[in-house]
Amino acid sequence: MISLLSNPVSQKRWRRFRQSRRGFASACILLLLTLLSIGAELLASNRALIVYYQGHLHFPTYGSVISGREFGLDYDYETNYRDLQTSFAAAPEDNNWLIMPLIPFSPLESDLIAGDFPPHAPSVSSKHYLGTDTSGRDVLARLIYGFRTALLFSVCLLIFNYIVGVAIGCLMGYWGGRFDLFFQRVIEIWSNIPFLYVIMIVASVITPGFWTLLLIMAFFGWTGMTWYMRTAAYKEASRDYVMAARALGASGSRIMFRHILPNSVSTLVTFVPFSVASGITSLTALDYLGFGLPSPTPSWGELLKQGTENMESIWMVGAVVTAMTVILMLVAFIGEAIRDAYDPKQFSYYE
C-alpha cells in the first residue's frame, strides 16, 4: 500500500483527482456522511450519550441496558432517558445531568402524540425535524440508519462482485481458449436470469434478510465486472512486458497479480462509485416493492413506499427523494473525477 502511494503515477492521478474541485469536494462530503452514519447512535438514539448521576458518569449509548432503579426511578426496565432528563431539570439542586443525541429517538421507536394520529408533521419543539412516519417513528432517524444499512449492503455486494468478477475476468483474458469460450456462454446464460423473480420466490418461502438478499444479488451480479476485466486482461496480456515476464519464467499467477492486475486498476477504480450507487438503489427498489429487508428495519425504500401511499405527508417522500438525489449526485461527481484522473488521454498532447 505504501509503495502504491509512493508511486509517481499514483501521485499524479491523485493530483488530477484533487484538481477536480467538484469531485474532491463530493468525496469529502460523502466520506463525512459515511462516518456520521457509522456513528448513527451518536446522532439518533433514545439512549443518552452521557449521564452524570450522584458523582458517577454513565455512557449508555454503546453500553448495556441500565434499569431505571440505577437512577432512582421506580421501575426495573430500561431507563427512559428523555423522562430522566426532565426529572433532572426539575431538580437542579442535585447537580445531575445528561446529554441526549441531537435526535433523541430510536429509528424503531414510536412516539405517539395524544389526540393526533401519525404521521406527524416536522416540528422543532417535538424534535422530529423531518416528522414521523405512519407508525410514529422519526423520519430523520430512519433516514440515517437506512443510509448506513444501504451503504453496508452496497459495499459488501461490491466486494463480492469484484472478487469473483475480477478473478474470472482475468483468467478469461489471460488464458483465453476454451476456458474463455466456456465462461462467455455461462455469463450470457447467467445474465438472462431475472434475479427479481428469484427474490420473489425466495420471499414467498422465507423472510429475506440482509445476508439472504446480499447472497442472491451477489450470485447474479458478478457478471458485469467480468466483461470489463476480461477485456482489460486480454489487452494487457498481449503487451511486451507480459511476453518478457513469460520469457523470464514468471508463473501465470505472478503475471496476473503483479503485472496485469495492477495495470488494470483504472478499470476497477472507475466503477467503484457507480457500483456503490447501484447497490444502494437496488436495495431501495427491493424495499419499495416489498421484497427487501423485513420490517421494521430502517430502509429508504420502505420509507419511500409509505410516502407514496400518503402523499399528503410530503415530508416522508421528500426526505427520501432528496437524500437519494444528493447521494447519487455526489457519486456521479466522484466517478467523473476518478475517470478524468485515470484517463491517459486527459493530459496527453499530440502533434
Side-chain angles (χ1 to χ4, degrees):
M1 185 67 179
I2 297 176
S3 60
L4 182 63
L5 294 176
S6 61
N7 190 318
V9 177
S10 299
Q11 293 178 356
K12 187 176 182 180
R13 288 170 176 169
W14 171 247
R15 288 195 298 268
R16 290 178 182 175
F17 179 76
R18 292 198 61 177
Q19 286 175 0
S20 175
R21 297 182 179 179
R22 185 171 60 184
F24 183 70
S26 299
C28 294
I29 294 173
L30 186 60
L31 178 61
L32 177 61
L33 294 176
T34 302
L35 293 176
L36 291 176
S37 69
I38 292 174
E41 290 80 6
L42 302 176
L43 295 175
S45 175
N46 56 0
R47 289 185 172 187
L49 301 176
I50 305 174
V51 179
Y52 179 82
Y53 179 71
Q54 294 183 352
H56 298 282
L57 288 174
H58 303 270
F59 302 92
T61 302
Y62 292 107
S64 58
V65 174
I66 303 177
S67 68
R69 294 194 184 278
E70 292 287 333
F71 302 114
L73 303 176
D74 59 350
Y75 53 83
D76 294 321
Y77 49 87
E78 185 175 7
T79 305
N80 187 320
Y81 293 98
R82 294 192 299 272
D83 292 344
L84 183 63
Q85 187 178 35
T86 302
S87 64
F88 283 176
E93 66 277 2
D94 295 336
N95 294 323
N96 298 321
W97 52 268
L98 62 80
I99 300 175
M100 291 294 293
L102 179 65
I103 307 162
F105 299 97
S106 165
L108 306 178
E109 177 187 14
S110 296
D111 182 39
L112 302 177
I113 300 175
D116 190 13
F117 291 98
H120 305 304
S123 173
V124 176
S125 60
S126 65
K127 296 188 178 179
H128 291 298
Y129 303 109
L130 291 181
T132 67
D133 64 3
T134 55
S135 298
R137 298 170 299 198
D138 189 83
V139 170
L140 184 54
R142 292 184 67 80
L143 206 64
I144 296 172
Y145 282 81
F147 175 65
R148 181 171 68 178
T149 302
L151 188 64
L152 178 62
F153 181 88
S154 61
V155 170
C156 292
L157 183 64
L158 169 73
I159 292 173
F160 183 89
N161 287 343
Y162 267 50
I163 290 175
V164 178
V166 169
I168 295 178
C170 281
L171 293 175
M172 290 173 63
Y174 180 71
W175 284 347
R178 293 182 178 178
F179 183 87
D180 183 29
L181 291 175
F182 172 77
F183 269 97
Q184 284 187 45
R185 303 291 85 77
V186 169
I187 294 174
E188 288 173 1
I189 296 172
W190 216 249
S191 300
N192 289 316
I193 298 177
F195 79 94
L196 180 59
Y197 289 118
V198 177
I199 294 178
M200 292 172 64
I201 294 171
V202 172
S204 65
V205 178
I206 62 173
T207 301
F210 181 91
W211 296 109
T212 305
L213 289 174
L214 180 65
L215 290 176
I216 294 175
M217 293 190 65
F219 199 61
F220 294 98
W222 57 271
T223 57
M225 180 52 60
T226 305
W227 289 119
Y228 295 106
M229 283 309 303
R230 174 188 176 274
T231 303
Y234 187 80
K235 180 179 68 176
E236 295 298 327
S238 62
R239 295 190 182 276
D240 293 339
Y241 71 88
V242 174
M243 297 180 183
R246 286 174 177 169
L248 292 173
S251 62
S253 59
R254 180 180 177 84
I255 292 174
M256 281 191 291
F257 289 104
R258 296 295 299 273
H259 299 287
I260 294 179
L261 193 56
N263 284 284
S264 305
V265 70
S266 59
T267 303
L268 301 177
V269 175
T270 303
F271 283 99
V272 166
F274 302 104
S275 299
V276 172
S278 176
I280 293 175
T281 53
S282 297
L283 182 61
T284 303
L286 289 175
D287 290 333
Y288 179 80
L289 295 174
F291 300 113
L293 300 176
S295 181
T297 306
S299 165
W300 285 8
E302 185 263 347
L303 200 58
L304 184 62
K305 184 177 182 180
Q306 289 190 47
T308 54
E309 293 175 351
N310 299 271
M311 291 303 295
E312 69 279 1
S313 304
I314 193 63
W315 55 86
M316 283 193 291
V317 66
V320 180
V321 170
T322 301
M324 288 198 65
T325 301
V326 170
I327 295 301
L328 295 180
M329 182 178 63
L330 294 176
V331 169
F333 291 157
I334 295 171
E336 183 183 74
I338 292 176
R339 181 198 63 193
D340 293 341
Y342 279 84
D343 186 4
K345 299 179 181 179
Q346 183 70 16
F347 295 94
S348 300
Y349 301 93
Y350 301 92
E351 295 181 358

